[in-house]
Amino acid sequence: MINDTIEGAVTIVSSNEGFFTKGMESKLHEVGYETQFCTMEETTRELGRIRSRTGLYVLYMQDDVEPKNLMNLHDTLNMDSKKLIIVSEMEAYTELKKVFSTSQVLNWLERPLDMNEFIRCVRVYYEGEEEDEEPKTILIVDDDLTYMKLIYSWLKDDYNVGMASSGVQAISWLVKNSADLVLMDYELPIVNGPQIVEMLHSDSVTGQIPVMFLTGKNEKEFVMSVIDLKPVDYLLKTIDRAALLGKLKKFFGEQG
């Protein structure tokens, strides 16, 4: 399904045109997309030329890019109703959230960049929703119903989503349904997250289901205790929609 409303080049914005940004441009050319590159200074000086030819912006965040210098790009996105893909490390993205709103950000992709996932995001934006691939199924397990419903609202358009508010409900749900991933609150009451993981691993049917922990804590000792359980990842509950979707897309992309 082609999205006829999206036209123009993919404009890559970074502090300089280096090895990785040239690789992104080369890959986009291979699959038929026009590209242009601009530095932060060019974004400021030559907005007319850049804006008139842009369908989508991609910000490749390098270590020497100051978020405060990106306000011009922020204003351009608002004026032209264009979207932005951010490629950065998690720490940098935390700062970028202070500059760009969730409505401006199409996707966040973590460095090092998965080029196939990047191209997939661009294709979906220009050509419309993917229709052939069956959506993955994710079970959210959290006793905080407000938070669980928030995560559900973020995921429901891209995934089949189940919800359970306790360990007992989670096990019961997984007995009746298959899941490609479990997003698990670490600190559940009665039967906590680690205990549920042990129960899942002890069963031949559920033992292979990957688990990502959701936690509100970031202390070193706590993080190490989470890592010892060998989840596929652990996420702080302060994570926002774009970052969570980016993490999930990267995970499922690596699963093939």
Side-chain angles (χ1 to χ4, degrees), residues 40-178:
M40 305 304 162
E41 291 76 13
E42 288 174 322
T43 305
T44 302
R45 290 198 309 264
E46 302 181 37
L47 268 181
R49 175 184 65 83
I50 293 168
R51 289 171 57 191
S52 64
R53 297 181 59 238
T54 297
L56 172 68
Y57 289 91
V58 177
L59 173 62
Y60 187 84
M61 192 70 175
Q62 301 192 55
D63 295 337
D64 55 348
V65 178
E66 288 289 337
K68 65 182 180 181
N69 295 332
L70 296 170
M71 287 307 301
N72 205 52
L73 178 57
H74 167 278
D75 295 341
T76 300
L77 293 170
N78 279 346
M79 287 187 289
D80 297 342
S81 298
K82 295 294 171 62
K83 293 291 186 179
L84 175 70
I85 293 176
I86 295 174
V87 181
S88 73
E89 295 178 348
M90 172 61 85
E91 184 177 352
Y93 180 64
T94 300
E95 293 300 312
L96 288 172
K97 288 190 293 184
K98 301 174 184 177
V99 179
F100 300 105
S101 67
T102 55
S103 63
Q104 293 175 314
V105 179
L106 177 67
N107 285 103
W108 168 69
L109 301 176
E110 189 170 16
R111 289 176 52 191
L113 178 63
D114 181 332
M115 196 65 75
N116 291 330
E117 178 61 18
F118 170 60
I119 295 300
R120 191 198 70 80
C121 290
V122 173
R123 276 181 165 154
V124 170
Y125 179 69
Y126 276 93
E127 300 173 18
E129 294 295 327
E130 296 173 308
E131 298 175 347
D132 296 332
E133 186 175 347
E134 184 71 20
K136 301 292 186 181
T137 297
I138 298 174
L139 174 64
I140 309 168
V141 186
D142 201 309
D143 64 313
D144 183 338
L145 298 184
T146 300
Y147 183 77
M148 183 164 61
K149 289 177 181 178
L150 174 65
I151 299 300
Y152 172 83
S153 71
W154 290 353
L155 303 185
K156 64 182 177 65
D157 292 336
D158 299 299
Y159 301 98
N160 294 322
V161 184
M163 294 188 289
S165 60
S166 69
V168 173
Q169 285 187 12
I171 297 298
S172 177
W173 192 95
L174 290 168
V175 168
K176 301 173 184 177
N177 305 275
S178 60

Side-chain angles (χ1 to χ4, degrees), residues 240-255:
D240 69 4
R241 180 180 182 275
L244 177 58
L245 291 177
K247 284 279 189 181
L248 294 175
K249 287 178 180 178
K250 181 178 181 181
F251 168 72
F252 286 124
E254 291 172 349
Q255 299 303 299

Side-chain angles (χ1 to χ4, degrees), residues 186 193-195 197-198 201 213 224-231:
Y186 187 90
Q195 291 171 322
V197 170
E198 290 178 3
H201 287 172
F213 277 121
M224 293 307 297
S225 68
V226 172
I227 292 175
D228 286 343
L229 294 166
K230 296 182 172 59

